[in-house]
Amino acid sequence: MKYGWRLIFIPLWALCIAGAALTAFLALGWVGWQPFAVAAVIGAVAGIPAGLWNTFKVRRDDPAW
C-alpha cells in the first residue's frame, strides 16, 4: 500500500484537530463562520505534518504490513 496510509492518516489527523479546535471555539462562545474557517486552517496546518509523520512511523516500524 504505497499511498494508502497517507489517505488514511492525513484526513484523520486533520479532522480530529480541526474538530477539537472547533469544539473549543464554540464552547468559548465564538459563533459564526469565522471559527469554522480558523479551525479548518488549524487542522490543515497541524494535521498534514502529523499525518505524514504517522505514515512514516508505521512504515518504519512494520514495513511488511
Side-chain angles (χ1 to χ4, degrees):
M1 184 169 0
K2 184 172 174 112
Y3 297 107
W5 291 122
R6 288 184 185 169
L7 293 175
I8 294 169
F9 286 131
I10 291 174
L12 182 65
W13 272 97
L15 290 172
C16 287
I17 292 170
L22 182 62
T23 301
F25 294 152
L26 294 176
L28 293 173
W30 190 19
V31 180
W33 64 269
Q34 294 95 347
F36 288 90
V38 172
V41 170
I42 291 172
V45 168
I48 291 173
L52 290 173
W53 170 80
N54 205 176
T55 301
F56 295 136
K57 182 171 178 5
V58 167
R59 286 186 189 156
R60 184 178 59 239
D61 289 350
D62 193 3
W65 193 60

